[in-house]
mmCIF file of all heavy atoms in Angstrom:
data_model
loop_
_atom_site.group_PDB
_atom_site.id
_atom_site.type_symbol
_atom_site.label_atom_id
_atom_site.label_comp_id
_atom_site.label_asym_id
_atom_site.label_seq_id
_atom_site.Cartn_x
_atom_site.Cartn_y
_atom_site.Cartn_z
ATOM 1 N N ALA A 290 -40.536 -85.622 183.664
ATOM 2 C CA ALA A 290 -41.654 -85.218 182.773
ATOM 3 C C ALA A 290 -41.307 -85.110 181.302
ATOM 4 O O ALA A 290 -42.062 -85.540 180.425
ATOM 5 C CB ALA A 290 -42.213 -83.887 183.390
ATOM 6 N N ALA A 291 -40.106 -84.617 181.062
ATOM 7 C CA ALA A 291 -39.681 -84.432 179.680
ATOM 8 C C ALA A 291 -39.539 -85.848 179.092
ATOM 9 O O ALA A 291 -39.865 -86.021 177.910
ATOM 10 C CB ALA A 291 -38.408 -83.652 179.638
ATOM 11 N N VAL A 292 -38.954 -86.726 179.905
ATOM 12 C CA VAL A 292 -38.751 -88.132 179.311
ATOM 13 C C VAL A 292 -40.049 -88.751 179.025
ATOM 14 O O VAL A 292 -40.249 -89.398 177.994
ATOM 15 C CB VAL A 292 -37.907 -88.953 180.260
ATOM 16 C CG1 VAL A 292 -37.896 -90.377 179.964
ATOM 17 C CG2 VAL A 292 -36.487 -88.441 180.373
ATOM 18 N N ILE A 293 -41.026 -88.612 180.065
ATOM 19 C CA ILE A 293 -42.275 -89.196 179.780
ATOM 20 C C ILE A 293 -43.030 -88.674 178.600
ATOM 21 O O ILE A 293 -43.678 -89.323 177.843
ATOM 22 C CB ILE A 293 -43.102 -89.042 181.104
ATOM 23 C CG1 ILE A 293 -42.649 -89.865 182.272
ATOM 24 C CG2 ILE A 293 -44.667 -89.491 180.785
ATOM 25 C CD1 ILE A 293 -43.327 -89.627 183.573
ATOM 26 N N ALA A 294 -42.863 -87.332 178.520
ATOM 27 C CA ALA A 294 -43.555 -86.591 177.407
ATOM 28 C C ALA A 294 -42.910 -87.084 176.050
ATOM 29 O O ALA A 294 -43.643 -87.364 175.079
ATOM 30 C CB ALA A 294 -43.398 -85.142 177.480
ATOM 31 N N GLY A 295 -41.612 -87.262 175.989
ATOM 32 C CA GLY A 295 -40.951 -87.724 174.768
ATOM 33 C C GLY A 295 -41.398 -89.115 174.550
ATOM 34 O O GLY A 295 -41.554 -89.538 173.309
ATOM 35 N N LEU A 296 -41.475 -90.013 175.515
ATOM 36 C CA LEU A 296 -41.767 -91.445 175.328
ATOM 37 C C LEU A 296 -43.234 -91.533 174.767
ATOM 38 O O LEU A 296 -43.480 -92.303 173.827
ATOM 39 C CB LEU A 296 -41.635 -92.146 176.558
ATOM 40 C CG LEU A 296 -40.260 -92.524 177.040
ATOM 41 C CD1 LEU A 296 -40.202 -93.188 178.403
ATOM 42 C CD2 LEU A 296 -39.604 -93.427 175.969
ATOM 43 N N GLN A 297 -44.123 -90.770 175.404
ATOM 44 C CA GLN A 297 -45.557 -90.842 174.900
ATOM 45 C C GLN A 297 -45.659 -90.289 173.475
ATOM 46 O O GLN A 297 -46.468 -90.850 172.658
ATOM 47 C CB GLN A 297 -46.485 -90.093 175.900
ATOM 48 C CG GLN A 297 -46.399 -88.615 175.875
ATOM 49 C CD GLN A 297 -47.404 -87.929 174.824
ATOM 50 O OE1 GLN A 297 -48.435 -88.483 174.446
ATOM 51 N NE2 GLN A 297 -46.878 -86.821 174.253
ATOM 52 N N GLY A 298 -44.835 -89.358 173.116
ATOM 53 C CA GLY A 298 -44.796 -88.796 171.795
ATOM 54 C C GLY A 298 -44.326 -89.821 170.739
ATOM 55 O O GLY A 298 -44.827 -90.099 169.728
ATOM 56 N N ALA A 299 -43.208 -90.515 171.228
ATOM 57 C CA ALA A 299 -42.659 -91.500 170.376
ATOM 58 C C ALA A 299 -43.666 -92.732 170.222
ATOM 59 O O ALA A 299 -43.799 -93.280 169.097
ATOM 60 C CB ALA A 299 -41.309 -91.998 171.024
ATOM 61 N N VAL A 300 -44.337 -93.131 171.328
ATOM 62 C CA VAL A 300 -45.214 -94.224 171.252
ATOM 63 C C VAL A 300 -46.358 -93.886 170.265
ATOM 64 O O VAL A 300 -46.854 -94.680 169.436
ATOM 65 C CB VAL A 300 -45.737 -94.562 172.675
ATOM 66 C CG1 VAL A 300 -46.943 -95.546 172.523
ATOM 67 C CG2 VAL A 300 -44.602 -95.241 173.504
ATOM 68 N N PHE A 301 -46.786 -92.616 170.389
ATOM 69 C CA PHE A 301 -47.966 -92.288 169.554
ATOM 70 C C PHE A 301 -47.559 -92.136 168.142
ATOM 71 O O PHE A 301 -48.290 -92.537 167.198
ATOM 72 C CB PHE A 301 -48.537 -90.828 169.957
ATOM 73 C CG PHE A 301 -49.823 -90.523 169.409
ATOM 74 C CD1 PHE A 301 -50.979 -90.998 169.958
ATOM 75 C CD2 PHE A 301 -49.953 -89.801 168.199
ATOM 76 C CE1 PHE A 301 -52.215 -90.730 169.389
ATOM 77 C CE2 PHE A 301 -51.109 -89.527 167.651
ATOM 78 C CZ PHE A 301 -52.301 -90.010 168.205
ATOM 79 N N ARG A 302 -46.305 -91.674 167.859
ATOM 80 C CA ARG A 302 -45.918 -91.573 166.483
ATOM 81 C C ARG A 302 -45.770 -92.954 165.753
ATOM 82 O O ARG A 302 -46.056 -93.116 164.609
ATOM 83 C CB ARG A 302 -44.519 -90.874 166.355
ATOM 84 C CG ARG A 302 -44.643 -89.364 166.260
ATOM 85 C CD ARG A 302 -43.248 -88.741 165.995
ATOM 86 N NE ARG A 302 -42.331 -88.993 167.084
ATOM 87 C CZ ARG A 302 -42.090 -88.215 168.039
ATOM 88 N NH1 ARG A 302 -42.865 -86.986 168.173
ATOM 89 N NH2 ARG A 302 -41.231 -88.410 169.043
ATOM 90 N N ARG A 303 -45.507 -93.950 166.635
ATOM 91 C CA ARG A 303 -45.318 -95.327 166.139
ATOM 92 C C ARG A 303 -46.688 -95.999 165.987
ATOM 93 O O ARG A 303 -46.904 -96.733 164.979
ATOM 94 C CB ARG A 303 -44.408 -96.097 166.966
ATOM 95 C CG ARG A 303 -44.039 -97.496 166.473
ATOM 96 C CD ARG A 303 -42.954 -98.223 167.239
ATOM 97 N NE ARG A 303 -42.672 -99.536 166.807
ATOM 98 C CZ ARG A 303 -41.815 -99.775 165.787
ATOM 99 N NH1 ARG A 303 -41.136 -98.790 165.251
ATOM 100 N NH2 ARG A 303 -41.567 -101.039 165.424
ATOM 101 N N TRP A 304 -47.487 -95.914 166.991
ATOM 102 C CA TRP A 304 -48.676 -96.708 167.008
ATOM 103 C C TRP A 304 -50.045 -95.897 167.005
ATOM 104 O O TRP A 304 -51.074 -96.564 166.803
ATOM 105 C CB TRP A 304 -48.742 -97.606 168.204
ATOM 106 C CG TRP A 304 -47.724 -98.764 168.181
ATOM 107 C CD1 TRP A 304 -47.793 -99.852 167.355
ATOM 108 C CD2 TRP A 304 -46.528 -98.868 168.939
ATOM 109 N NE1 TRP A 304 -46.673 -100.669 167.618
ATOM 110 C CE2 TRP A 304 -45.864 -100.096 168.527
ATOM 111 C CE3 TRP A 304 -45.934 -98.080 169.895
ATOM 112 C CZ2 TRP A 304 -44.678 -100.488 169.036
ATOM 113 C CZ3 TRP A 304 -44.697 -98.425 170.413
ATOM 114 C CH2 TRP A 304 -44.095 -99.605 170.040
ATOM 115 N N GLY A 305 -49.904 -94.640 167.187
ATOM 116 C CA GLY A 305 -51.177 -93.882 167.380
ATOM 117 C C GLY A 305 -52.072 -93.905 166.181
ATOM 118 O O GLY A 305 -53.323 -93.932 166.364
#
Side-chain angles (χ1 to χ4, degrees):
V292 170
I293 293 174
L296 285 175
Q297 70 88 34
V300 169
F301 192 87
R302 274 190 293 269
R303 184 175 180 83
W304 288 289

